[in-house]
Amino acid sequence: MKISKIPKMLAKNRTGIDAINTVRDAREISKRKLPKMVWDFIDGGADGELAVAANRRSLNEIQLRPRFLTDVSNRDSSIQIFGNKTELPFILSPSGMATIAHPQGELAVAKAAGRCGAIFCVSTASGYTLEEIAEVSDARLWFQLYLWGNEEVVESLIDRAQISGYEALVVTVDVPVVGKRERDLANGMSLPVRIRPRNAINTLRKPRWLLGLLNGPDITFANLAGFAEGDDASSIGEYTDRELVDQTRTWNDLEIIRNRWNGPLLVKGVMTPEDAINAVDSGADGVIVSNHGGRQMSFVPGVASVFESIVHAVGHRAEIFFDGGIRRGEDIVKARAVGATAACGGRPWYWGLAAGGEQGVEKILSVLAADVDRTLALLGEEKYVNVDQRYLYR
Ligand SMILES: Cc1cc2nc3c(=O)[nH]c(=O)nc-3n(C[C@H](O)[C@H](O)[C@H](O)COP(=O)(O)O)c2cc1C
């Protein structure tokens, strides 16, 4: 082997935080650290994964108009969301089971978000309880809820989030059934995680991850412990499938939640102007335009393709957030240019967590923050809030 090749090889195999300069770096490092079934669970989408690709493609098609020789010395990426200032216009989307990527899971994510001035939306399916997460960080926290059939569970989660100081409630509406994730089926991936003959060899090749799994908390829907017959992962998993998923839910049910929740209410998973109007008419203060990162269905367009039609329909009646395919700060600025209040993302922080725990998430958020700042300078704009459709090439 040529000696000159060694530095390149070493660079390729660097797995520390300092090797993360982009979201793509974190994705690659996490690929080396996680068993294939876990990495595919995070990376994959539903069916043919066309919606995953469409999210990226539709963002790539947006181009921004730079203007030069304007004074951009006083830049500011902050934004007001529901009356409070947030430094980073990026919300960490609710993504369940973060303990699968790192034993510190959502605790690490909440701490990193707090330090970077970002909002973290905690999933109902978090690996730690919503109380445990609220306790460890001063980040602004939102709580995501599914419109499940069991009133007792739904009401208790709403009340617990309220008592623990969560600022907003996000109701995810795009899961009447769970999408068919072909990679998960092929890998024998399930929640709770089970090591099966199909995934055993690959899992054993990642001893550090396995050690974390064995020493860390049980990988389960921690918020639901106490509702299922047992508190172990498989009882809770079976309980969720059997008791909670409810396909009879309608927009009327949102109004019931609206009446119980004291604070901003958002609906996540909207992909049409009609549903955005339904959400706002049912009392939502915010709409998260999202196809669940392509994880629920493959047949929908990318978020950027439908975004402006939804902004047009909703007007100033609600805040509108962009969720899906954000990988760089320039994407966060593009989201603003098509009319978003701010952008949201799931896989970027998830990969950061897998790659480097709390510091990995912090690194991803600081990379995105620096990207946004640089993009503003290159656009000739000092303030993120001022970015609008004037910055779009049409
Ligand atoms: C591993 C993983 C788990 C997720 N779990 C949830 C969830 O529990 N609730 C939810 O509303 N969305 C969930 N999502 C979707 C995210 O909230 C978000 O819509 C999606 O990740 C956005 O696309 P992006 O990953 O390209 O940023 C999950 C996403 C990932 C990657």
Side-chain angles (χ1 to χ4, degrees):
M1 188 205 314
K2 275 191 187 159
I3 293 201
S4 62
K5 279 196 174 163
I6 292 175
K8 234 183 185 174
M9 270 176 50
L10 290 176
K12 208 175 155 210
N13 285 320
R14 277 196 311 157
T15 52
I17 307 300
D18 58 340
I20 301 176
N21 294 308
T22 61
V23 170
R24 189 177 53 203
D25 293 336
R27 179 175 181 262
E28 287 309 310
I29 294 171
S30 69
K31 192 170 194 174
R32 274 177 252 145
K33 290 195 164 181
L34 296 173
K36 183 176 181 332
M37 67 168 172
V38 176
W39 193 81
D40 275 343
F41 166 71
I42 300 164
D43 192 69
D47 305 294
E49 301 194 354
L50 298 178
V52 181
N55 279 347
R56 277 307 311 155
R57 202 173 48 242
S58 59
L59 264 167
N60 286 344
E61 277 163 13
I62 298 174
Q63 292 171 321
L64 301 177
R65 305 176 71 232
R67 297 172 312 146
F68 298 110
L69 295 182
T70 65
D71 178 353
V72 289
S73 56
N74 214 353
R75 291 193 298 285
D76 180 1
S77 304
S78 72
I79 189 144
Q80 295 278 332
I81 299 182
F82 300 125
N84 290 314
K85 185 174 165 178
T86 174
E87 289 303 327
L88 185 63
F90 179 75
I91 293 141
L92 287 78
S93 302
S95 305
M97 287 290 108
T99 40
I100 208 175
H102 190 281
Q104 283 297 303
E106 293 83 5
L107 303 183
V109 182
K111 288 181 199 165
R115 270 201 301 282
C116 297
I119 296 172
F120 175 31
C121 182
V122 174
S123 164
T124 291
S126 53
Y128 287 92
T129 65
L130 64 94
E131 290 86 0
E132 288 169 320
I133 300 164
E135 209 150 275
V136 295
S137 144
D138 56 3
R140 289 176 65 185
L141 297 175
W142 294 358
F143 185 68
Q144 175 264 324
L145 187 74
Y146 287 109
L147 264 180
W148 277 329
N150 185 319
E151 304 292 338
E152 191 198 339
V153 173
V154 171
E155 289 176 2
S156 132
L157 287 170
I158 294 175
D159 295 348
R160 285 168 59 189
Q162 198 100 62
I163 290 166
S164 303
Y166 282 73
E167 180 191 313
L169 189 70
V170 173
V171 178
T172 297
V173 294
D174 57 5
V175 191
V177 292
V178 176
K180 181 181 173 191
R181 302 198 194 120
E182 297 180 4
R183 294 198 223 177
D184 292 354
L185 292 173
N187 292 330
M189 172 66 188
S190 60
L191 287 176
V193 179
R194 289 204 180 89
I195 314 286
R196 303 167 200 268
R198 229 179 317 168
N199 53 41
I201 292 181
N202 185 272
T203 306
L204 292 172
R205 280 210 200 112
K206 311 287 174 177
R208 263 207 199 176
W209 180 86
L210 204 55
L211 212 64
L213 181 78
L214 296 174
N215 291 330
D218 203 8
I219 295 192
T220 185
F221 302 146
N223 288 321
L224 299 179
F227 290 110
E229 293 85 63
D231 279 358
D232 60 296
S234 50
S235 315
I236 294 176
E238 280 159 23
Y239 172 75
T240 311
D241 291 346
R242 196 183 60 236
E243 296 271 332
L244 299 184
V245 175
D246 182 354
Q247 294 164 15
T248 69
R249 294 302 209 167
T250 68
W251 291 105
N252 292 335
D253 297 300
L254 193 72
E255 289 176 24
I256 298 168
I257 290 185
R258 169 71 290 177
N259 291 335
R260 193 167 186 100
W261 174 256
N262 254 325
L265 178 70
L266 296 98
V267 170
K268 172 171 181 280
V270 165
M271 282 296 284
T272 61
E274 305 89 275
D275 272 351
I277 297 289
N278 284 333
V280 177
D281 285 348
S282 311
D285 308 289
V287 171
I288 303 180
V289 181
S290 171
N291 57 23
H292 216 105
R295 297 168 69 81
Q296 276 297 96
M297 57 227 138
S298 179
F299 53 75
V300 283
V303 167
S305 311
V306 298
F307 201 84
E308 283 180 278
S309 65
I310 293 174
V311 171
H312 187 70
V314 172
H316 295 293
R317 295 179 66 201
E319 304 284 351
I320 310 186
F321 297 88
F322 187 113
D323 175 74
I326 300 284
R327 299 292 177 265
R328 296 171 190 280
E330 67 175 38
D331 298 330
I332 298 175
V333 179
K334 286 178 179 181
R336 181 79 192 171
V338 293
T341 300
C344 315
R347 292 182 186 87
W349 68 254
Y350 222 108
W351 287 321
L353 179 69
E358 187 179 329
Q359 288 172 307
V361 180
E362 197 170 343
K363 185 69 190 277
I364 287 295
L365 296 178
S366 61
V367 164
L368 291 176
D371 278 1
V372 170
D373 180 65
R374 185 180 345 93
T375 305
L376 289 177
L378 290 167
L379 280 182
E381 175 57 69
E382 285 193 310
K383 293 187 171 41
Y384 182 77
V385 281
N386 290 344
V387 175
D388 61 15
Q389 80 257 3
R390 288 171 303 145
Y391 284 92
L392 293 172
Y393 274 111
R394 294 282 188 190

